[in-house]
Amino acid sequence: PYTFPLASYTSGLYQINILYHGEDAKAMGLDLFNEKDNEAFALHLYEKQAGKPWMASFSCWGSKAP
């Protein structure tokens, strides 16, 4: 279904994890490699789970958060 470099399991500005969310996005008719679809799915995740999906990577970006 999705092809991506093995070194990276995330896609787009919102760094959506394809392994966890790829099939859900596909079921919604979204392509996580498309900028607008990536943003739409990020909003969907945020509305359902707030920031939880991004907390696993907090140590990578937390010090850069506004």
Side-chain angles (χ1 to χ4, degrees), residues 5-66:
L6 290 177
S8 175
Y9 297 112
T10 60
S11 174
L13 178 63
Y14 296 95
Q15 294 294 281
I16 306 297
N17 187 300
I18 297 165
L19 293 178
Y20 288 104
H21 304 293
E23 291 302 316
D24 290 339
K26 186 177 175 182
M28 294 171 64
L30 300 174
D31 174 4
L32 293 176
F33 295 98
N34 173 283
E35 183 179 347
K36 292 189 183 297
D37 286 357
N38 191 274
E39 184 171 3
F41 193 78
L43 181 58
H44 165 77
L45 279 179
Y46 190 77
E47 288 172 346
K48 298 289 183 188
Q49 301 178 38
K52 185 177 178 182
W54 292 275
M55 293 311 293
S57 62
F58 183 78
S59 63
C60 297
W61 57 265
S63 64
K64 299 173 182 85

